[in-house]
Amino acid sequence: MDEIAFKSDTVLSDVHLHAPNQRHLMVRLSGVGQPVFLSQFKLLWNQASQTDSGAEGGNHRAHPAEEEDDVLGDEAQESSPYDVIKIEHTMATPLEDVGKQVWRGALLLADYILSQRDLFRGRTVLELGAGTGLASILAATVAQTVYCTDVGADLLAMCQRNIALNSHLTATGGGVIKVKELDWLKDDLCTDPEVPFSWSEEDISDLYGHTTILLAAEVFYDDDLTDALFKTLCRLAHKLKNASTAILSVEKRLNFTLRHLDVTCEAYDHFRSCLRRLEGLTGGRLRFAVEPVDVSFPQLLVYERIQQLELWKVFVEPVTEPVVSADTAS
Ligand SMILES: C[S@@+](CC[C@H](N)C(=O)[O-])C[C@H]1O[C@@H](n2cnc3c(N)ncnc32)[C@H](O)[C@@H]1O
């Protein structure tokens, strides 16, 4: 079980790579026979506010990584259930199963959510490419409804189990998480009741009627998928009744390529070019404004907040027609 066979298309998230082996507990085989591990990610609420720790825990320690090096596991088992988020995940996977691992960008996004709880309070939130569901679960500690979406029945089932494992965290804030299939490569949401994780008409109407925040972590690693994600964002923004904000995390991955004989970050560059294209869209009824987010907010989860981790906001607002006075119009 400790031997992980690496094939050429196998990827392993740094989050799991840097965590010592014995702290992972293999709990079962997934629906497609992959070993599933259970990791406990500590939530470093301010020790001073232990009395109200948990989902509504208050102040935050500034540099947990310096104070805590037991990131996942043994000690966490002795903590209050409100001080850990339990996530089932696989280890090394082929590229098409990357969502079954936890990625650093999800932890950055989770930290942002925890540091901006008032922004999420009472909101309807849609996460795209949610993977194991970690960010959605933390959003639901304050949001009213979180639509946690991805593709693939096995991944969505794993996500659903993670939500059940952490139901005590979301119970306090009363947030509901709905796991749904949302494929960026398809124009429509699946409403076939025979298909697992399909949408009901009520869910779709709630999604379009109330969503104001969209989230996506670490979904910019393949240019075709990045294009599909931006198309999906645009399509959804046009269907939403209200103005919305998309919050996107990305890790700028540097690679040496033989083609360039240099270190490049092509997937990141493509992501940035999609942001520029979105901002440059004119003539429609929506305006898209893009802004980088300062990532110096407190760190409540333990991971390496490396320089290459970025968070971006896309504000989507209706274009307001200039008011034409009667004098000008005539
Ligand atoms: C690198 S993982 C990130 C997962 C999670 N957000 C995280 O950061 O831990 C990329 C995610 O995008 C999802 N994805 C890939 N293609 C997709 C598609 N066509 N529609 C929806 N999600 C897709 C994958 O299933 C996976 O969960």
Side-chain angles (χ1 to χ4, degrees):
M1 187 221 316
D2 284 334
E3 295 294 319
I4 294 168
F6 285 88
K7 298 189 193 137
S8 59
D9 73 336
T10 301
V11 285
L12 174 58
S13 162
D14 285 4
V15 170
H16 307 304
L17 190 64
H18 290 146
N21 242 357
Q22 68 274 16
R23 295 194 177 154
H24 293 288
L25 184 63
M26 187 193 145
V27 285
R28 63 184 175 93
L29 291 178
S30 75
V32 293
Q34 294 159 331
V36 174
F37 296 82
L38 179 68
S39 290
Q40 306 197 45
F41 294 80
K42 279 191 178 185
L43 294 170
L44 301 170
W45 308 110
N46 188 337
Q47 301 297 303
S49 62
Q50 278 298 299
T51 45
D52 68 349
S53 76
E56 279 296 325
N59 304 318
H60 312 135
R61 270 188 268 164
H63 298 294
E66 289 165 15
E67 299 170 36
E68 305 269 349
D69 57 6
D70 182 34
V71 182
L72 309 165
D74 305 342
E75 269 187 26
Q77 286 171 16
E78 290 150 27
S79 312
S80 149
Y82 292 97
D83 291 342
V84 289
I85 175 165
K86 294 181 181 180
I87 296 291
E88 282 193 5
H89 60 91
T90 58
M91 296 291 273
T93 57
L95 202 53
E96 67 264 22
D97 275 331
V98 280
K100 292 176 180 169
Q101 302 182 48
V102 177
W103 296 86
R104 209 160 14 209
L107 298 168
L108 181 77
L109 181 60
D111 264 341
Y112 180 76
I113 293 166
L114 293 171
S115 72
Q116 297 287 323
R117 299 169 70 75
D118 286 342
L119 180 69
F120 289 83
R121 202 174 296 281
R123 302 290 197 105
T124 299
V125 175
L126 166 64
E127 183 173 10
L128 301 167
T132 59
L134 183 139
S136 279
I137 293 167
L138 292 173
T141 61
V142 276
Q144 180 173 313
T145 308
V146 178
Y147 288 96
C148 173
T149 71
D150 210 301
V151 282
D154 196 50
L155 171 61
L156 292 169
M158 177 182 269
C159 190
Q160 188 81 70
R161 282 175 71 97
N162 284 332
I163 290 160
L165 278 174
N166 295 285
S167 55
H168 58 287
L169 288 178
T170 50
T172 328
V176 172
I177 311 179
K178 298 188 177 193
V179 179
K180 300 284 171 194
E181 173 144 320
L182 194 159
D183 187 341
W184 317 325
L185 299 171
K186 293 185 183 155
D187 286 346
D188 297 311
L189 300 175
C190 175
T191 54
D192 180 349
E194 301 289 310
V195 175
F197 306 105
S198 61
W199 297 74
S200 69
E201 293 301 338
E202 294 77 38
D203 286 332
I204 294 180
S205 129
D206 178 52
L207 175 80
Y208 293 153
H210 297 110
T211 300
T212 50
I213 298 180
L214 296 99
L215 304 174
E218 293 264 23
V219 291
F220 311 105
Y221 53 97
D222 171 289
D223 291 357
D224 292 338
L225 284 177
T226 300
D227 288 342
L229 177 98
F230 273 92
K231 222 174 124 195
T232 302
L233 269 182
C234 224
R235 193 170 49 238
L236 286 165
H238 280 89
K239 291 195 170 170
L240 298 184
K241 192 174 141 220
N242 300 301
S244 58
T245 304
I247 306 167
L248 314 172
S249 76
V250 63
E251 182 173 331
K252 184 176 180 178
R253 290 199 163 79
L254 303 164
N255 296 306
F256 180 84
T257 62
L258 281 178
R259 191 155 57 92
H260 295 96
L261 283 181
D262 203 352
V263 175
T264 61
C265 43
E266 289 180 83
Y268 173 82
D269 290 343
H270 189 70
F271 162 70
R272 292 293 303 273
S273 78
C274 289
L275 284 179
R276 279 192 296 275
R277 214 177 317 144
L278 198 60
E279 209 169 21
L281 288 179
T282 52
R285 68 178 176 80
L286 294 178
R287 186 188 10 251
F288 297 85
V290 176
E291 205 175 78
V293 178
D294 175 3
V295 293
S296 61
F297 43 84
Q299 194 173 338
L300 261 78
L301 288 140
V302 186
Y303 58 100
E304 223 186 332
R305 198 181 280 182
I306 55 173
Q307 262 184 357
Q308 291 81 5
L309 275 178
E310 295 183 3
L311 206 61
W312 290 82
K313 274 190 181 178
V314 178
F315 300 97
V316 189
E317 287 170 351
V319 174
T320 44
E321 296 295 335
V323 179
V324 182
S325 74
D327 292 351
T328 340
S330 58

